[in-house]
């Protein structure tokens, strides 16, 4: 038996080596403090669970759902986009589609728009799916470095003319995983112009739109005048509402972009369980106060870990958004070396920046998915081991 060649072209899994090492240490009885994984540790809020309990007893939810999502779900998504971002123009019938979580929709967007030899423009560091799905679609990933000195925004002037002309999709993700960088409407407007000029579908992965702190409200790319002509945006309930296991989100924006995605989906999946769609509607109706309560947990953790690292000499500032803190490694180490050192000497697991792309070298990523108590223990272990920034 032979795997298809496309499988051989997929880079090795980011956490494969470090996971092997962790398993060995756990078997030896080491208490690992795991800050590597971006998966919320708290339960889904009660008002969402209540709707799910009722919906599951309702037999009308048990058969195949509509491929594109129930009408009431698509209407709720459009209404949420209006309430949250002031985007008033979305037609639930043509400009909204339900997704089985963003990962599915991201992958299928590549299948809908990328052919052999086409370029995709993707961020580096970035969510690994943009690269692997380009490869699954036989396209060529062209990476756009995200540098600290440019606030982790890509520099479009570094995209060669012939690459831009052969590009089909441009991916951005703000608030950004893994850097914690945030986007501005000015920058989004620049991207809309660029993508219109080269006829590239602008894809904004907005998985962290609600995970922001200190009163900051991340924008939607669809707020930019003219974005309707060229952009689609991916939303997910996974991270903000502690719903990673539920697999539900939506994609909104340009009607042709949505049509292409829908056409792939109709042929490869059969939609989202209707009971989950009903629970998702409840999530979109979450009060601002409740969401604020959910986010304050991460904001406090962020402050704890940033203060702790500052006390060890790290020159970092708290990120405005996301579930992550993006931290430079001390001089003299690669990302992989430093991550291994933290695991060996302190039993602390974090993600090496280089796992998210070549431009992630020199950083590691901390996920805010453990308690403040455990974070303080991690800082204590680093202090005891003599690990500091300078
Ligand atoms: C977690 C994550 C996703 C995937 O979210 P799901 O909706 O659970 O599939 C997509 N993009 C980014 C940048 C993420 O970090």
């Amino acid at each position: 038996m032979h795997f298809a060649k496309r499988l051989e072209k997929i880079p090795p899994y980011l956490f494969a080596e470090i996971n092997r090492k962790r398993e060995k240490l756990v078997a030896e009885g080491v208490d690992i403090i795991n800050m590597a994984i971006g998966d919320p540790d708290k339960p889904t809020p009660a008002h969402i669970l209540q709707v799910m309990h009722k919906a599951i007893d309702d037999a009308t939810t048990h058969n195949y759902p509509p491929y594109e999502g129930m009408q009431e779900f698509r209407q709720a998504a459009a209404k949420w986009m209006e309430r949250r971002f002031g985007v008033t123009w979305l037609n639930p019938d043509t400009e909204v589609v339900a997704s089985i979580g963003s990962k599915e929709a991201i992958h299928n967007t590549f299948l809908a728009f990328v052919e052999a030899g086409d370029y995709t423009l993707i961020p580096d560091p970035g969510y690994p799916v943009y690269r692997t799905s380009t490869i699954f679609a036989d396209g060529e990933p062209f990476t756009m470095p995200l540098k600290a000195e440019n606030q982790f925004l890509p520099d479009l002037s570094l995209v060669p003319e012939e690459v831009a002309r052969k590009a089909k999709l441009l991916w951005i993700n703000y608030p950004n995983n893994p850097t914690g960088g945030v986007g501005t409407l000015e920058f989004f407007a620049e991207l809309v112009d660029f993508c219109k000029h080269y006829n590239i579908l602008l894809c904004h992965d907005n998985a962290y739109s609600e995970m922001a702190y200190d009163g900051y409200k991340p924008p939607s790319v669809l707020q930019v005048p003219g974005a309707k002509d060229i952009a689609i945006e991916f939303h997910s309930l996974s991270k903000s509402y502690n719903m990673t296991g539920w697999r539900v989100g939506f994609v909104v924006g340009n009607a042709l972009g949505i049509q292409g995605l829908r056409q792939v989906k109709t042929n490869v999946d059969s939609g989202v369980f209707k009971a989950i769609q009903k629970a998702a509607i409840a999530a979109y109706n979450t009060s601002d106060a409740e969401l604020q309560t959910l986010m304050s947990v991460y904001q406090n953790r962020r402050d704890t870990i940033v203060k702790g690292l500052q006390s060890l000499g790290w020159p970092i500032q708290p990120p405005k958004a996301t579930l992550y803190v993006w931290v430079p490694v001390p001089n003299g180490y690669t990302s992989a070396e430093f991550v291994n050192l933290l695991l060996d000497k302190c039993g602390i697991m974090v993600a090496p920046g280089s796992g998210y792309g070549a431009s992630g070298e020199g950083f590691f990523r901390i996920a805010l998915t453990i308690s403040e108590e455990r974070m303080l223990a991690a800082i204590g272990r680093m202090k005891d081991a003599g690990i500091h920034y300078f």
Side-chain angles (χ1 to χ4, degrees), residues 100-104 106 127 130 173 177 205 207-208 236 238-239 244 247-248 324:
I100 311 172
S102 286
K103 190 178 192 177
E104 169 270 304
I106 291 168
Y127 185 56
Y130 312 138
N173 159 229
N177 174 13
D205 179 357
Y208 297 94
S236 166
S238 284
K239 311 286 173 33
T244 46
R247 313 312 305 139
V248 59
Y324 311 108

Side-chain angles (χ1 to χ4, degrees), residues 44-62 70 73 237 241-243 245-248 272-284:
T44 303
H47 70 283
I48 301 171
L49 296 181
Q50 264 168 20
V51 172
M52 184 67 181
H53 282 302
K54 270 239 282 285
I56 213 163
D57 282 334
D58 169 3
T60 68
T61 67
H62 297 176
M70 295 156 74
F73 175 89
L237 288 172
Y241 298 92
N242 303 334
M243 290 174 74
W246 295 59
R247 313 312 305 139
V248 59
V272 177
F273 181 25
K274 283 189 268 184
I276 291 182
Q277 293 188 54
K278 285 175 181 274
I281 294 169
Y284 291 122

